[in-house]
Amino acid sequence: MGTARVLGAALIALGLAAGPAAADSSPSPSASQDGRGPTRAGTSFRTATEIEQGQRATATASTGDYLYWSFPADAGQRPTVRATVKLPGRHAAQTWQLDVYDGLRRRQACQYGAQTRTAAPGASSVELACVLRTVRAWSEPWADDPLPGTYYVRLTAVGLPAADRGLPVGAGVRADSADAGGAAAVDGSLAAPLVPGVAAKSVQDEGGSPDPAVLSSLEPADGWTSGWWSDRWVWTAAGGLLAALAGIGGYALTRGAGRPGRVPPGA
């Protein structure tokens, strides 16, 4: 009975530890219930329109324009950016490209997804996607790892024929993230997230003159964690508890309860 009780307690402890880890692996919740976002796009890094993860931003533009959006991404997240371009009725073959840059404006490679696609003549739309590497809480200065902070999305057509320049198009962009959990945790953190982007929504003061530009105002719903917490702590604590329970169980099994004592020599 004692051994069964020990094993039962171990299984319960393992289940409690696995609960938070399973929750962390689910995608981040949407920023709003309907997921609707801004209806415009910036034309440069400095004027990139801010969106939250889970929002779908839309914009009307012309072929040949550069469209920019920005969103926050924290340590342990693996962002996925998707874009849809609605094309005019008549057009030649068009190649569209989706690029993602970090807070230092370094272009980040896509692990998965069609980052560049060519729409056939007369096609009604083209879809692109980019799955980034997991954002790390800390990295060597010379490395090109994704770090916590603002990420920029740039959408544009490349190699356009002259006849297609200026045609009206509609664009939609959405950024989501999945939590990579403790497997992506590192021993270190940044002093501050990389958020050098300038917000496009600068307001005017009472006199009508624009306020000074401000740093990007968006951040994750739970704030910047910078990697101080991960489910690796849960599994470490669970492993220590299981080791202690295993030691108690092993002692109970090898103690030999009810074994007769040794008979003294010469008795």
Side-chain angles (χ1 to χ4, degrees):
M1 287 295 294
T3 304
R5 210 176 285 119
V6 170
L7 293 177
L11 292 176
I12 293 174
L14 183 58
L16 292 175
D24 287 343
S25 62
S26 60
S28 300
S30 298
S32 59
Q33 292 182 353
D34 55 12
R36 290 182 296 179
T39 56
R40 64 179 181 179
T43 56
S44 67
F45 285 103
R46 291 182 59 84
T47 61
T49 298
E50 295 178 338
I51 60 174
E52 296 182 9
Q53 291 194 29
Q55 285 185 324
R56 177 173 173 80
T58 57
T60 56
S62 302
T63 51
D65 291 344
Y66 285 86
L67 307 179
Y68 287 82
W69 295 269
S70 65
F71 67 93
D74 204 3
Q77 293 183 339
R78 179 176 293 171
T80 299
V81 181
R82 293 182 175 87
T84 302
V85 182
K86 294 183 179 180
L87 304 172
R90 289 187 176 182
H91 62 83
Q94 293 185 5
T95 300
W96 285 81
Q97 184 167 311
L98 177 69
D99 296 308
V100 182
Y101 298 81
D102 65 9
L104 298 178
R105 300 184 186 180
R106 301 175 303 179
R107 184 175 179 273
Q108 292 294 321
C110 301
Q111 275 193 315
Y112 312 102
Q115 184 181 7
T116 303
R117 271 189 171 175
T118 300
S124 60
S125 64
V126 60
E127 296 184 355
L128 305 101
C130 176
V131 181
L132 297 177
R133 295 171 294 167
T134 302
V135 178
R136 295 167 56 88
W138 179 86
S139 178
E140 294 288 350
W142 47 262
D144 194 29
D145 296 320
L147 295 170
T150 299
Y151 281 76
Y152 297 93
V153 180
R154 185 177 73 182
L155 179 65
T156 189
V158 295
L160 276 174
D164 280 359
R165 292 187 178 274
L167 293 178
V169 294
V173 168
R174 178 179 175 127
D176 296 281
S177 286
D179 198 326
V186 295
D187 296 327
S189 63
L190 297 180
L194 304 176
V195 287
V198 177
K201 58 182 182 182
S202 296
V203 297
Q204 294 184 344
D205 59 21
E206 295 180 357
S209 59
D211 285 346
V214 296
L215 292 180
S216 178
S217 59
L218 287 181
E219 63 179 34
D222 298 329
W224 298 105
T225 63
S226 295
W228 73 272
W229 165 260
S230 73
D231 57 9
R232 185 170 61 171
W233 292 95
V234 177
W235 287 107
T236 301
L241 178 60
L242 290 176
L245 292 175
I248 296 173
Y251 176 75
L253 289 175
T254 58
R255 183 179 58 178
R259 185 179 60 185
R262 293 184 57 187
V263 179

